[in-house]
Amino acid sequence: MVPNLVLRLFLIGVLASEIWTQDRPGSLSSECLGSLLRIALNAEYFEDKYLIFAAVDQFGTAQEIDGTLAAQCGYTIEYNYWGNIEFRASIISCYTHIESDVYTVTVQIKTATNPDMKNALTHLKTVSCPYSPWHPRELVCETNYMEVSVRRNVPQITADLLQDEPEDWALAFPEATAGAVSIWQVVFHLPSGRKALLASDAQNAGYGLNTTDTRILLRAPYNAAEAQLVKVRGVTFSAVRASTFYKQRWMILMVDTAVACPIDGVDYTDDTITWTIPKNLRTLSAGATSFNDLLVEIGVDLHKLSAREIASRKYVLSNNTDEITIQMPIGAEGGYYKTHVSEGQHGTKYYINLFLEHQWEDNRWGVTKHTIIKKIETPFKLVPPTITNNTNSSIRLVNVTVGTFLPDVELVNLTIDDTTVTVPEALQHGYKVYETRYPNGSKGYVIETPFNVPSIKKEYLTEDTRLYILNVTLGFIVQPTHETFTVPVITISPVKDAVLPSARGFCDDENLYLTVVRGNVDQNWLPFISNLSLSPDAAQKHNYGLDDNGTHFTIRVPLYAPHVLYEDIHPSGITASLHVTMKDNTLADMTDFSISCRFSPKELIDCLPNGTMAITAVKLAGITDLDTSLFVLRDKRCRPVTVTEKSATFIFHVNTCGTSRKFENTFMTYENDVSYFRPGSITPIYQLKCACQYIINETIVVQYSSKNNPAPSIEPGFGSLALALRLFKDKSYADSYKDIEYPVVKYLKEALYFEVELLHSEDPQLELYLEDCWATTSQDRDSSPQWSVITDSCENAEDSHQTIFHKVDSDSRVKFPTHLKRFEVKMFTFMQDGNALLEQIYFHCSVVICDARRPASDLLCARRCIPRKQRLGRSVEAYHRHGHVSSGAVLIES
């Protein structure tokens, strides 16, 4: 395509579908611009077409224009990024028909939809332009060639030039004398010497040579072999210095056909373009000694600008002795912006086609007209697209405008959650995309989507606010260059609609429960207990309960689980708490909940009937560096038998580890302390007071109490002091009646041998005393009638058959004699209205437990009628301990 100038217009719009072979109105336009003419092709009619241009000569033959022919013959074909194509020609191009100062150029344009140009349509365009008068010398610097034309009657080469360059004539003379009419040659002046080429050789080298009735012309490409790069005041020129010889009617005419055109000279700042053109080039002014500027004009797209237009566009034109300077703001009227992509980033370049016409007069050439066409392209400027968040929280709609873009940018796809979809497909994902146009011709794209689409992420910000986050990537294409770029669109919209999770809790006898009702900000929050992430697997591992139905979840944690904190110990119970922290996916704490309950400490103390105490001491939340393995009792040699991170368990007998005992009312209390000492300290930082209280035939639950140093005390635990009343078969007290032998049959006045025993106790310091014993005719010990056999620990004085007490000694069955009492009574009968009641009789005793270590001062334990031996072991405490026992039935036979 390029060698033959086959151009494809990649334009934005609909493919042209009509077929035609003659100029359609508006499809081609032309204008005469001094020594140039222009034909413009309307993009609307030529979009998406392949084109071939050809010049038609006077015989109707079409000469296809390629890049070489264009520079040699004076043709320029350009297209801009908006799809408009422009064909320019010198009015003295190779195939121009000249008649009476009217210059006619005919162009053939072939169009096709395929690059092979099959079924191409042909269009002819003829343009005639008058041009007069010509200046003695005219120079044209087109974008692809340099052209100089001079009058035939120009002055001859000056004497000094003849003296300097006699070889030019010597080289030309043989050809001139021997050649036919119109044969000419060109001598090029190079730093290395002179180089002569015949007209045919010069044309083969890419030069254009032409003559009219009044003018001689030389045309050269910028990169011609004989072109030289010349620096003038910092600006680079491409210059060709040549003498052209023409033979006519046995005369040789030699003319100076030097030409020079600037290659650079344009400088840029962030907002300004400066084009500098030096004057008085030596290549163009050889032999001249005086100069006079006649005219300096500038224009855009070959249209000259008036002084008013220059000022309104904020151009600045400066002309001094050495140079002409044009300054203009980037983006000024007359140019246009084009989108480009650099390293994947969106940006723009500014384009403008300037031209300068400079006329001057010197004392050798007279008037010279120098026309310079300069196509200016600014460097790439990064232009990040603006993103405007117009989200409307009241209607819960994300609205984002992305832009602005030039019209050559087209949105082609969106990437949503790693899925790339076309613009129409985006609607299926909840995204509405539409284009918005602005008065200056630019445009933007509006993205709308509801808050509730899955791709809109929600994040909790503050107590009442959460963020709605749009994160999509837009994919764009630039026409017609097909460059692509992407724009990540991330917007964050705060909305006061956050609903935090809430919690409620409760406890049963063994567990703490916490139910968390989810809000709208905690979908990805995880529950933690301490540093334990409470996943289903973790809950199962620790025997915790975790039920989650999506809207709420319930956590169940046993009272003595590792993650329960013990905050306080009080006589009314132990205060335990469960703390749950909700963390986001970065493990940042978001909110926390807790439940605190007071529990009975029955699991922490156990008072066994045999006098064994089992105490579990727990670490309180306020003491962080406590090592439970270093807990001790009053006797520091007593250490825990089991230890965990949060507790220690002691099992010991009431006669050991420094345990003390006291009597209170109807209770017997054993006390000890669990303590923790820091190394080297004699004052405990933790002290837990523990107690077991025993009451005969009764058991009461355990309770705790707590204080700051000295530390917690346990509400006394209670144990059962079990008693038994047995009937033995004889005074040896070796064989008692079994349960299945009752009722026992006895005859009047037959001896009954009773034994009362304190069961299970291993405390040798206790002694059992009988307070009262009596008989009833029913199992109810409080029923009537009653007959006393022991009263206030003494025999019944009113009974003719008084009770006999028997000594108890140690043997294989009796370990602690003080725990037993034995007595003997004669079988009797109840009398009612003078008659004997021969029926079953039940015996009952009330019992007192005393301290055998201390002298008698107890009012009960020190009764006078009790033998001295019994009284010696009575307790000095102010209160005594009561219990009751009853026998099975005894049946009286007469």
mmCIF file of all heavy atoms in Angstrom, residues 556-572:
data_model
loop_
_atom_site.group_PDB
_atom_site.id
_atom_site.type_symbol
_atom_site.label_atom_id
_atom_site.label_comp_id
_atom_site.label_asym_id
_atom_site.label_seq_id
_atom_site.Cartn_x
_atom_site.Cartn_y
_atom_site.Cartn_z
ATOM 1 N N ARG A 556 -21.656 -21.832 72.036
ATOM 2 C CA ARG A 556 -21.797 -22.434 73.361
ATOM 3 C C ARG A 556 -20.427 -22.866 73.856
ATOM 4 O O ARG A 556 -19.718 -23.603 73.168
ATOM 5 C CB ARG A 556 -22.725 -23.644 73.319
ATOM 6 C CG ARG A 556 -22.835 -24.377 74.667
ATOM 7 C CD ARG A 556 -23.551 -25.706 74.525
ATOM 8 N NE ARG A 556 -22.910 -26.578 73.560
ATOM 9 C CZ ARG A 556 -21.812 -27.306 73.812
ATOM 10 N NH1 ARG A 556 -21.227 -27.246 75.005
ATOM 11 N NH2 ARG A 556 -21.307 -28.070 72.870
ATOM 12 N N VAL A 557 -20.050 -22.397 75.035
ATOM 13 C CA VAL A 557 -18.749 -22.728 75.603
ATOM 14 C C VAL A 557 -18.956 -23.223 77.027
ATOM 15 O O VAL A 557 -19.613 -22.545 77.835
ATOM 16 C CB VAL A 557 -17.812 -21.495 75.595
ATOM 17 C CG1 VAL A 557 -16.482 -21.836 76.242
ATOM 18 C CG2 VAL A 557 -17.588 -21.011 74.163
ATOM 19 N N PRO A 558 -18.432 -24.392 77.372
ATOM 20 C CA PRO A 558 -18.573 -24.894 78.746
ATOM 21 C C PRO A 558 -17.901 -23.961 79.755
ATOM 22 O O PRO A 558 -16.934 -23.261 79.436
ATOM 23 C CB PRO A 558 -17.873 -26.257 78.695
ATOM 24 C CG PRO A 558 -17.912 -26.649 77.250
ATOM 25 C CD PRO A 558 -17.788 -25.383 76.483
ATOM 26 N N LEU A 559 -18.441 -23.997 80.979
ATOM 27 C CA LEU A 559 -17.956 -23.102 82.019
ATOM 28 C C LEU A 559 -16.458 -23.228 82.243
ATOM 29 O O LEU A 559 -15.757 -22.228 82.410
ATOM 30 C CB LEU A 559 -18.721 -23.384 83.321
ATOM 31 C CG LEU A 559 -18.193 -22.700 84.583
ATOM 32 C CD1 LEU A 559 -18.238 -21.191 84.427
ATOM 33 C CD2 LEU A 559 -18.990 -23.149 85.800
ATOM 34 N N TYR A 560 -15.960 -24.441 82.237
ATOM 35 C CA TYR A 560 -14.547 -24.634 82.575
ATOM 36 C C TYR A 560 -13.703 -24.874 81.327
ATOM 37 O O TYR A 560 -12.678 -25.551 81.384
ATOM 38 C CB TYR A 560 -14.408 -25.784 83.575
ATOM 39 C CG TYR A 560 -15.108 -25.465 84.877
ATOM 40 C CD1 TYR A 560 -16.271 -26.143 85.241
ATOM 41 C CD2 TYR A 560 -14.629 -24.466 85.700
ATOM 42 C CE1 TYR A 560 -16.934 -25.828 86.425
ATOM 43 C CE2 TYR A 560 -15.282 -24.139 86.885
ATOM 44 C CZ TYR A 560 -16.436 -24.813 87.240
ATOM 45 O OH TYR A 560 -17.080 -24.484 88.393
ATOM 46 N N ALA A 561 -14.122 -24.278 80.210
ATOM 47 C CA ALA A 561 -13.339 -24.381 78.971
ATOM 48 C C ALA A 561 -12.115 -23.468 79.061
ATOM 49 O O ALA A 561 -12.103 -22.491 79.817
ATOM 50 C CB ALA A 561 -14.200 -23.992 77.780
ATOM 51 N N PRO A 562 -11.084 -23.754 78.269
ATOM 52 C CA PRO A 562 -9.845 -22.968 78.350
ATOM 53 C C PRO A 562 -10.028 -21.492 78.035
ATOM 54 O O PRO A 562 -9.255 -20.660 78.510
ATOM 55 C CB PRO A 562 -8.926 -23.645 77.321
ATOM 56 C CG PRO A 562 -9.487 -25.003 77.130
ATOM 57 C CD PRO A 562 -10.953 -24.895 77.334
ATOM 58 N N HIS A 563 -11.024 -21.139 77.234
ATOM 59 C CA HIS A 563 -11.151 -19.761 76.791
ATOM 60 C C HIS A 563 -12.130 -18.948 77.630
ATOM 61 O O HIS A 563 -12.436 -17.804 77.282
ATOM 62 C CB HIS A 563 -11.567 -19.723 75.316
ATOM 63 C CG HIS A 563 -10.544 -20.315 74.395
ATOM 64 N ND1 HIS A 563 -10.581 -21.630 74.011
ATOM 65 C CD2 HIS A 563 -9.440 -19.777 73.827
ATOM 66 C CE1 HIS A 563 -9.557 -21.886 73.224
ATOM 67 N NE2 HIS A 563 -8.851 -20.783 73.086
ATOM 68 N N VAL A 564 -12.622 -19.528 78.736
ATOM 69 C CA VAL A 564 -13.493 -18.795 79.640
ATOM 70 C C VAL A 564 -12.628 -18.057 80.651
ATOM 71 O O VAL A 564 -11.655 -18.605 81.180
ATOM 72 C CB VAL A 564 -14.470 -19.749 80.343
ATOM 73 C CG1 VAL A 564 -15.264 -19.010 81.417
ATOM 74 C CG2 VAL A 564 -15.429 -20.362 79.333
ATOM 75 N N LEU A 565 -12.980 -16.818 80.906
ATOM 76 C CA LEU A 565 -12.257 -16.016 81.887
ATOM 77 C C LEU A 565 -13.037 -15.997 83.196
ATOM 78 O O LEU A 565 -14.273 -15.898 83.199
ATOM 79 C CB LEU A 565 -12.077 -14.580 81.383
ATOM 80 C CG LEU A 565 -11.267 -14.407 80.089
ATOM 81 C CD1 LEU A 565 -11.209 -12.924 79.717
ATOM 82 C CD2 LEU A 565 -9.864 -14.966 80.257
ATOM 83 N N TYR A 566 -12.293 -16.087 84.321
ATOM 84 C CA TYR A 566 -12.898 -16.022 85.640
ATOM 85 C C TYR A 566 -12.542 -14.671 86.233
ATOM 86 O O TYR A 566 -11.380 -14.366 86.488
ATOM 87 C CB TYR A 566 -12.395 -17.168 86.504
ATOM 88 C CG TYR A 566 -12.595 -18.512 85.829
ATOM 89 C CD1 TYR A 566 -11.524 -19.191 85.264
ATOM 90 C CD2 TYR A 566 -13.870 -19.054 85.709
ATOM 91 C CE1 TYR A 566 -11.715 -20.395 84.618
ATOM 92 C CE2 TYR A 566 -14.069 -20.259 85.058
ATOM 93 C CZ TYR A 566 -12.979 -20.928 84.507
ATOM 94 O OH TYR A 566 -13.180 -22.104 83.860
ATOM 95 N N GLU A 567 -13.574 -13.863 86.450
ATOM 96 C CA GLU A 567 -13.344 -12.475 86.824
ATOM 97 C C GLU A 567 -13.456 -12.229 88.325
ATOM 98 O O GLU A 567 -12.818 -11.314 88.850
ATOM 99 C CB GLU A 567 -14.349 -11.583 86.084
ATOM 100 C CG GLU A 567 -14.209 -11.648 84.566
ATOM 101 C CD GLU A 567 -15.247 -10.802 83.867
ATOM 102 O OE1 GLU A 567 -16.194 -10.350 84.556
ATOM 103 O OE2 GLU A 567 -15.107 -10.586 82.655
ATOM 104 N N ASP A 568 -14.264 -13.034 89.008
ATOM 105 C CA ASP A 568 -14.536 -12.712 90.398
ATOM 106 C C ASP A 568 -15.004 -13.972 91.108
ATOM 107 O O ASP A 568 -15.671 -14.838 90.500
ATOM 108 C CB ASP A 568 -15.617 -11.626 90.470
ATOM 109 C CG ASP A 568 -15.897 -11.197 91.901
ATOM 110 O OD1 ASP A 568 -14.940 -11.160 92.686
ATOM 111 O OD2 ASP A 568 -17.061 -10.905 92.206
ATOM 112 N N ILE A 569 -14.627 -14.107 92.371
ATOM 113 C CA ILE A 569 -15.122 -15.188 93.212
ATOM 114 C C ILE A 569 -15.779 -14.553 94.421
ATOM 115 O O ILE A 569 -15.202 -13.690 95.083
ATOM 116 C CB ILE A 569 -13.992 -16.129 93.641
ATOM 117 C CG1 ILE A 569 -13.347 -16.773 92.404
ATOM 118 C CG2 ILE A 569 -14.526 -17.212 94.556
ATOM 119 C CD1 ILE A 569 -12.182 -17.663 92.733
ATOM 120 N N HIS A 570 -17.003 -14.965 94.689
ATOM 121 C CA HIS A 570 -17.827 -14.322 95.697
ATOM 122 C C HIS A 570 -18.611 -15.410 96.413
ATOM 123 O O HIS A 570 -18.832 -16.497 95.841
ATOM 124 C CB HIS A 570 -18.784 -13.324 95.014
ATOM 125 C CG HIS A 570 -19.495 -12.415 95.971
ATOM 126 N ND1 HIS A 570 -20.717 -12.749 96.506
ATOM 127 C CD2 HIS A 570 -19.153 -11.206 96.484
ATOM 128 C CE1 HIS A 570 -21.110 -11.781 97.304
ATOM 129 N NE2 HIS A 570 -20.185 -10.832 97.317
ATOM 130 N N PRO A 571 -19.021 -15.167 97.618
ATOM 131 C CA PRO A 571 -19.812 -16.204 98.289
ATOM 132 C C PRO A 571 -21.015 -16.669 97.503
ATOM 133 O O PRO A 571 -21.442 -17.813 97.629
ATOM 134 C CB PRO A 571 -20.226 -15.528 99.600
ATOM 135 C CG PRO A 571 -19.137 -14.557 99.876
ATOM 136 C CD PRO A 571 -18.709 -14.044 98.543
ATOM 137 N N SER A 572 -21.563 -15.774 96.662
ATOM 138 C CA SER A 572 -22.742 -16.169 95.893
ATOM 139 C C SER A 572 -22.384 -16.943 94.630
ATOM 140 O O SER A 572 -23.252 -17.448 93.946
ATOM 141 C CB SER A 572 -23.561 -14.937 95.508
ATOM 142 O OG SER A 572 -22.774 -14.065 94.714
#
